[in-house]
Amino acid sequence: MRRRELLGSVAAATTAATAGCNSLGNALTGGDDDPEPVTVETIDAPGSRAGSTVVPEPGRVTFVEFFATTCPICASQMSVVDDAYGRVGEEVQFLSVTSEPVGLTVSTEKVASWWAHHDGSWPVGVDDGVALARKYGATSIPTAVVAAPDGTVTWSHTGRATASRIVAEIRAAGGDSAP
């Protein structure tokens, strides 16, 4: 690939990533009806280890927060999501995911550093190819999604949310053992 083409690709990917807090599209638009879980690469960061996880995890309530390291609203939501995570514990599959072009315009190390700087303490993953974002219709960030143990989405929300609201939606989806 010629340098000019490479730089054009990087610029396009950067534009898509930094379109960020407003949207990856324009609004939350429903997602697809595919019941199959999506495998997400997890990274080595506080509360997270390199590997992969399946989302949603069958038989457990799942909470996913879509974010970007370039999004100030996402950064401000980290303490809220941390509070919710502290209240629900290990009974719930809890994951934050970035759909940024990791490996192209942002490195895994930068995501891990951002994660540590914002006190992330639960698993963090990379939605390479945006399969998970498509599944859940997460076209804007931050977007939070709760899925019941059977994988049915019971709640999705774009923008700021309170920890109490997140915990209430997790409980309503079947995470009743959450304190």
Side-chain angles (χ1 to χ4, degrees):
M1 178 181 281
R2 284 195 237 136
R3 185 170 186 248
R4 185 178 305 165
E5 291 168 329
L6 176 62
L7 291 175
S9 296
V10 169
T14 301
T15 300
T18 58
C21 290
N22 285 345
S23 77
L24 296 169
N26 278 336
L28 187 60
T29 58
D32 69 32
D33 295 327
D34 185 359
E36 290 301 310
V38 173
T39 299
V40 174
E41 174 191 353
T42 53
I43 66 171
D44 188 22
S48 182
R49 58 189 165 124
S52 64
T53 190
V54 175
V55 181
E57 185 177 319
R60 285 176 77 192
V61 171
T62 296
F63 171 83
V64 179
E65 172 92 343
F66 292 89
F67 75 96
T69 61
T70 57
C71 172
I73 295 171
C74 300
S76 71
Q77 272 294 109
M78 286 291 290
S79 63
V80 171
V81 176
D82 182 51
D83 184 11
Y85 176 67
R87 294 191 215 176
V88 299
E90 299 298 317
E91 295 299 315
V92 173
Q93 179 188 29
F94 210 93
L95 178 71
S96 287
V97 177
T98 183
S99 295
E100 293 173 281
V102 175
L104 191 59
T105 60
V106 64
S107 67
T108 302
E109 293 78 16
K110 176 166 167 85
V111 174
S113 174
W114 184 92
W115 192 249
H117 178 76
H118 292 90
D119 299 323
S121 61
W122 57 94
V124 61
V126 175
D127 186 17
D128 190 24
V130 298
L132 192 63
R134 273 195 308 271
K135 177 178 186 63
Y136 289 135
T139 59
S140 297
I141 51 173
T143 291
V145 176
V146 174
D150 68 359
T152 304
V153 173
T154 59
W155 180 69
S156 63
H157 177 79
T158 299
R160 298 178 195 276
T162 65
S164 295
R165 177 71 187 271
I166 293 168
V167 171
E169 296 297 342
I170 289 169
R171 287 182 180 153
D176 293 331
S177 60

